[in-house]
Amino acid sequence: MEEIGKTAPKLPNQEFDYYKIAKILLSRWYWIVGSVLICYLASSIYLWYTPKTYATSALIKFEEKKSEIGDIVGLAGVNDRGNTSRIQSETAVLQSTPLLLNAVKHLDYLFSFYVVGRVINRTNELYPAKPLDIQLIKFDSLNFSHELITYKPVNTTSFNIIYTNAGKEFTHRGTYGVPFTIGPTSFSIKYPGVLPKTTSILFKLNSPEEFIGRVRNGLRTAETAKNSNLLSLTQTDANPQFATDALNAVVKEYVNYDRTQRRKSASQMIAFIDSQLDFLSGKLNGSENSIQQYKQSKKMMNVSSASDKVLSQSKDIESQISLLKIDLLAIDQLQKDIVKGKDNVSLNFNSGGSTQLSEFINILNGLLSNKNALLKIYDSNSSQIRDVDQQILQVKTNAITNIIAVRKQIEAKQKYYQDQLAPINQQISQLPVAEREMLSLNRDFEVNDKVYSFLSEKKLDQEIASAGILPGATIIDLARPNYTPVSPNETSIHHSAIFFGIAIGLGFIILIRILNPYIYDKETVESLTTIPIVGVIRKFPEDIDEFSTQILAISKPKSIFAESVRAVRTNLNFLASEKKSKVICITSEVAGEGKSFVAVNLSSTLSLIDKKVILVAADLRRSKLHKTFHVPNDMGLSNYLANQCTVNDIINHSNQSGLDFIVSGPVPPNPSELLHSDRIKELIADLKEKYDVIMIDTAPIGLVSDAIPLIRMSDINLFVIRSGKSKFYAATIPQRIAQEYKLDNTVIVLNAFQQDLLHSRYYSTKYSGDNYGTTYYYYSDYSGYESSGYYIDDDENKWWHIWKWLKK
């Protein structure tokens, strides 16, 4: 023992021991391995039962392609549908119902075939495979059954069809090649040549509308880079081939849709020109007929040269006036379209030479296209739609203002030509009547013919331009089947399972430690009290009897247990060393913590070093000392305290030299009062004259107060804490008793210690600095030394020494 000068009690310094923490977490490595295996198995089962999802991608590029034909005919490029939020707008177009419906119609959608898995009762689609050749005989696309139909082959000539109608199941025996009817639909099945390997095949009739949701839910779009004109499209589906076919159909249909939208402006202009040509065609025919009739009636061949000159001047001016009238019609139609809010408006002619009006029309068409796209995403009352509406209103206002200005310019030109035409009309009025009438007819014909020729040229130009219109999107890369599933991600799920398995295993270890209320090691005791620990008694590795009839410190002298008891004995010898005869009182908080076991073994080891030792069973309520030494309990301490016998009458001699004992005797009705009497003091005084060590085994102090008088008169108070049984509160009791009764002779012994890393303290005690003022004793818990070769009795019973048993 090493004893240092006494100071005020203070808890020792304890520092984090990271090595201990690692050992604690790894102490139950099999829990962690088990939880990892369970989680991994669960993830494997999840992957087994979860349907796989496949993905494929396509790439399209937005670009403004200018037709070379447009350059040849000298026409401006057809207006784009707008650049504002282009990617967002086109994404909405790609997911629009009309476009998806047209795309689905390009697929082989009419029949779907399925099989049911044998292990997992899940329906798997066979697309694009068609194990059955089904011919429709009668089919109404608006009225047919959408339920699954089960086909089961019977033999080479017949089969069974199982279907439901109005909630009832029906079975029909069919013959290959012979039509049969289900509801309003009739069809036949051809003999497949080789009967299917599966016991049954499921199929159903589809409408294209049924696939819209499936395609739309799996379709995703994203820019390949910010502000780029490349759009990546991804289609996910449980069937990789269907995902590929659907995505390719969507991108091809989008390109066609884009081309169609770009041709709208040219189509509107051609329609307008056609309406004017129809009108002029009638006027030309009428004028020509009128001229012929007039010539025949007046018997005139041609007009004079003077009339020709006047006719030429009049024809040119009136042609310009007619063209201006057509411009006015186009301007009025444009204004009506803008006011009515058409989705697409176009400037049929470059009226008045206003490039600003053309720009307004371009911007307006772009905003209208953007609004239509946004309406597929947002509500009509959303802030995004309101912002676009405000922009549209502003552009419309500016466009109408510009239209009014253009109209005024056209009307001014008309007035100008009218003023120039007035003198010519004056000249015509001075011609002879016959010539004048003939000139008027010729003038109408010439003017209509010139305007008709002009419009015909314009129509031809627009048709050439329309033929040369290119779509604003190009397919860079079509989708290809990808048979590697993207969901569930097997690698990620297995990694997550391992991670959660480790976390659960470690969490369970931490939870067990948090919920643990018991003391397991000396570091825990040191963290709870300043009372010094006098030693650690190891747990005996084998089962021992309840009454400790085999005194192990004697019968197993070379065991690690016996060595730990001798270490406690050594430290006890240095306590109260000035006393010739020592009184050692042993107690604990509750029963079952091994105080009697410790008392018996300590007494035995003390007697081995030529000490006269007497062990007194002072637990008058439920002592078991008499069973340890195989003697009756009819005469003992209770009899002496009740003045029924003398000291010599109750002293018993054991088989161990130097070790005597006193049993508790019959249980008295007043054990606490007897132990508080003067007789106990007389007994101890008498025993001090005869023995070197008086070992008193008392009642648990946490349950009854019987031990208090014995504690106060003892030289050493030994408080027993049992590893794995005593709770944290037990470690605070000896300090409270010491403070209450002003005792400085209290020490603790940790009993039945067996290293259990799971519950060990993750601190290490450091006796340094201020802690030099606290009394402490050298002792060891012998952890890690079991196989050192010094403790033979323990080592002989290890499982790896089975060969020794076989020799015996």
Side-chain angles (χ1 to χ4, degrees), residues 620-621 633-639 644 663-669 674:
L620 301 182
R621 300 175 187 264
N633 197 31
D634 53 359
M635 179 67 69
L637 180 61
S638 61
N639 301 98
Q644 296 176 0
V663 298
S664 62
V667 178
L674 291 178

Side-chain angles (χ1 to χ4, degrees), residues 472-499:
T474 303
I475 301 174
I476 303 299
D477 190 13
L478 284 172
R480 292 181 293 274
N482 178 15
Y483 296 99
T484 302
V486 295
S487 175
N489 189 327
E490 294 188 15
T491 302
S492 176
I493 289 175
H494 282 316
H495 287 172
S496 298
I498 294 172
F499 172 79

Side-chain angles (χ1 to χ4, degrees), residues 16-78:
F16 270 111
D17 191 330
Y18 295 102
Y19 180 66
K20 273 191 173 182
I21 293 174
K23 290 174 67 176
I24 290 170
L25 296 177
L26 294 176
S27 63
R28 295 297 188 272
W29 60 268
Y30 42 87
W31 290 1
I32 299 174
V33 171
S35 62
V36 168
L37 291 176
I38 292 172
C39 289
Y40 194 87
L41 178 62
S43 68
S44 299
I45 294 173
Y46 169 79
L47 291 171
W48 178 263
Y49 280 93
T50 303
K52 303 291 188 294
T53 300
Y54 302 86
T56 185
S57 299
L59 188 65
I60 61 176
K61 179 182 180 182
F62 298 120
E63 54 189 344
E64 294 308 315
K65 293 182 178 178
K66 188 176 180 182
S67 172
E68 295 179 358
I69 299 178
D71 292 337
I72 293 172
V73 299
L75 293 176
V78 180

Side-chain angles (χ1 to χ4, degrees), residues 302-536:
N302 290 305
V303 296
S304 65
S305 59
S307 298
D308 282 338
K309 183 178 180 181
V310 173
L311 177 62
S312 176
Q313 293 175 349
S314 174
K315 178 181 65 176
D316 292 337
I317 294 174
E318 287 192 357
S319 296
Q320 294 296 329
I321 293 173
S322 297
L323 291 175
L324 288 174
K325 286 181 180 179
I326 294 175
D327 280 349
L328 283 176
L329 289 173
I331 284 292
D332 291 341
Q333 184 63 45
L334 176 62
Q335 186 172 356
K336 288 179 182 178
D337 291 345
I338 292 175
V339 172
K340 289 180 180 179
K342 286 187 66 177
D343 289 344
N344 184 280
V345 294
S346 63
L347 185 60
N348 294 328
F349 294 98
N350 190 15
S351 301
S354 175
T355 57
Q356 189 176 17
L357 180 57
S358 298
E359 292 176 0
F360 284 141
I361 298 305
N362 289 346
I363 296 171
L364 180 59
N365 284 333
L367 290 172
L368 290 171
S369 177
N370 187 33
K371 178 182 177 181
N372 291 333
L374 290 175
L375 283 172
K376 296 179 174 66
I377 304 174
Y378 303 105
D379 185 77
S380 59
N381 294 321
S382 64
S383 60
Q384 290 84 354
I385 301 298
R386 288 200 300 269
D387 290 343
V388 176
D389 284 340
Q390 187 65 32
Q391 296 175 44
I392 291 173
L393 180 61
Q394 183 65 41
V395 173
K396 280 185 175 183
T397 303
N398 295 336
I400 292 174
T401 302
N402 196 272
I403 286 172
I404 294 172
V406 170
R407 183 179 183 83
K408 288 180 180 179
Q409 291 176 9
I410 295 173
E411 289 173 346
K413 288 182 179 180
Q414 276 186 320
K415 187 177 182 305
Y416 170 76
Y417 287 125
Q418 291 288 354
D419 292 342
Q420 285 189 331
L421 188 61
I424 297 173
N425 289 333
Q426 183 66 29
Q427 295 178 26
I428 293 174
S429 65
Q430 295 175 0
L431 293 173
V433 175
E435 246 185 81
R436 185 171 63 244
E437 291 176 353
M438 184 66 181
L439 182 63
S440 177
L441 292 173
N442 282 333
R443 183 174 61 176
D444 291 340
F445 176 80
E446 293 289 344
V447 168
N448 290 333
D449 184 59
K450 187 173 183 179
V451 173
Y452 189 89
S453 299
F454 173 79
L455 290 177
S456 297
E457 290 177 4
K458 283 287 185 180
K459 179 180 178 181
L460 180 60
D461 290 343
Q462 290 299 324
E463 287 176 342
I464 293 172
S466 177
I469 289 176
L470 299 175
T474 303
I475 301 174
I476 303 299
D477 190 13
L478 284 172
R480 292 181 293 274
N482 178 15
Y483 296 99
T484 302
V486 295
S487 175
N489 189 327
E490 294 188 15
T491 302
S492 176
I493 289 175
H494 282 316
H495 287 172
S496 298
I498 294 172
F499 172 79
F500 282 113
I502 294 173
I504 291 170
L506 294 176
F508 191 63
I509 291 173
I510 295 171
L511 180 64
I512 293 297
R513 283 182 58 84
I514 292 173
L515 298 178
N516 167 55
Y518 301 107
I519 295 171
Y520 277 88
D521 58 0
K522 57 186 177 62
E523 284 79 13
T524 304
V525 178
E526 290 167 344
S527 68
L528 296 171
T529 181
T530 58
I531 299 298
I533 300 175
V534 76
V536 176

